Amino acid sequence: MRYYVAPLEGLTGTIFRRIHHRYFPGADKYYTPFLSTSHDHVFTKREKREILPEYNEGLPVVPQLLTRRAEDFLWAANRLFEMGYPEVNLNLGCPSGTVTAKGKGSGFLAFPEELDAFLAEIFAGAQGPVSIKTRLGIRDPEEFWPILECYNRYPVYELTVHLRVQKDMYRPPSGGNIWPPSWHKAAIRSAITGI
C-alpha cells in the first residue's frame, strides 16, 4: 500500500510537510496545494515558498497544477521538472465554485473535447510524468466512463479518482452509494479477466 498526503490549501504547506515527515515518516508522496498557473508565466512569492527545492529537501513532493490552458501548464510543469521534481499532478478534481466557474478543476470535465485537446498538448510537451486527480463527473458517476476513455488515450503516470462528482463537493456521494451499478459489473469483469 502507498501512503499519499492530500493537499489542503492553507494547511499542508511546506511547514506542515516538514513537520509531518519528521514525526510521521513514511509518506510516499506529499501533494502540494494547487498552483494556479498564470498567463505571465511567473511563480508568485507564495508559490515559490511551496515549490522551491530548498523548502522540500528530502521530501517526496508532487506539485499540483490547476489550469485549463495547455501553454500555461507546460510552462509550469517543465519549470518544475527543471527544478528536479520527478512528477507533476494535474488537478481535475477541485469542486470549488470559484474554480469550476472558470472551467478549471472538475469544471474542466464539462468540456470533454477541450479537455481531450488539452491533454494531447500537455502530454506531447511535458518533459516528465504527469499524473491526474479527477472526479467521476459533474452530476452523475456514470459520466466517468467517457472521461476514463479520454484519460486512457494518454500516458497518465497515475490516476487518483475522488469517488464523488463535482456537485457532491466534499460531502459523501449523493445517495450514499460510491459504486454506481455499472461499476459492479466492471469490477467483476476486471477481477475475472485481470484487466
Side-chain angles (χ1 to χ4, degrees):
M1 180 184 292
R2 286 176 269 172
Y3 173 45
Y4 297 165
V5 178
L8 292 169
E9 189 174 11
L11 180 63
T12 59
T14 56
I15 295 170
F16 172 90
R17 292 192 296 268
R18 288 194 306 257
I19 292 171
H20 186 274
H21 185 71
R22 181 176 181 183
Y23 293 103
F24 304 99
D28 294 296
K29 294 180 184 180
Y30 289 92
Y31 288 90
T32 67
F34 66 74
L35 306 170
S36 190
T37 62
S38 65
H39 303 305
D40 56 0
H41 297 169
V42 174
F43 290 122
T44 66
K45 287 182 182 180
R46 183 184 65 81
E47 290 170 335
K48 286 179 183 177
R49 283 193 302 270
E50 287 296 316
I51 58 166
L52 287 177
E54 57 264 30
Y55 294 114
N56 294 295
E57 193 172 331
L59 300 176
V61 172
V62 178
Q64 187 179 89
L65 300 176
L66 180 78
T67 186
R68 64 174 290 135
R69 292 175 34 99
E71 57 270 27
D72 297 340
F73 178 92
L74 287 170
W75 170 81
N78 290 334
R79 181 68 186 104
L80 291 162
F81 291 131
E82 290 168 7
M83 289 181 191
Y85 287 101
E87 172 190 349
V88 171
N89 182 261
L90 171 62
N91 182 329
L92 294 174
C94 181
S96 169
T98 57
V99 169
T100 60
K102 299 172 189 167
K104 298 180 182 180
S106 63
F108 209 165
L109 302 177
F111 306 97
E113 289 157 12
E114 290 178 41
L115 177 61
D116 192 28
F118 172 88
L119 294 174
E121 193 171 340
I122 69 166
F123 281 104
Q127 297 171 0
V130 176
S131 59
I132 295 176
K133 175 177 85 168
T134 189
R135 290 202 172 228
L136 298 174
I138 303 296
R139 299 199 170 282
D140 185 333
E142 293 297 332
E143 295 168 4
F144 187 61
W145 299 113
I147 293 169
L148 183 60
E149 285 177 19
C150 179
Y151 295 154
N152 280 334
R153 288 193 278 277
Y154 303 100
V156 176
Y157 181 70
E158 188 168 63
L159 182 64
T160 301
V161 182
H162 284 273
L163 292 178
R164 49 175 108 63
V165 294
Q166 176 189 322
K167 73 172 182 151
D168 292 331
M169 298 295 285
Y170 295 103
R171 296 180 302 272
S174 302
N177 184 7
I178 63 169
W179 297 108
S182 65
W183 287 42
H184 297 284
K185 293 175 190 172
I188 291 168
R189 188 183 81 230
S190 176
I192 293 171
T193 63
I195 58 170

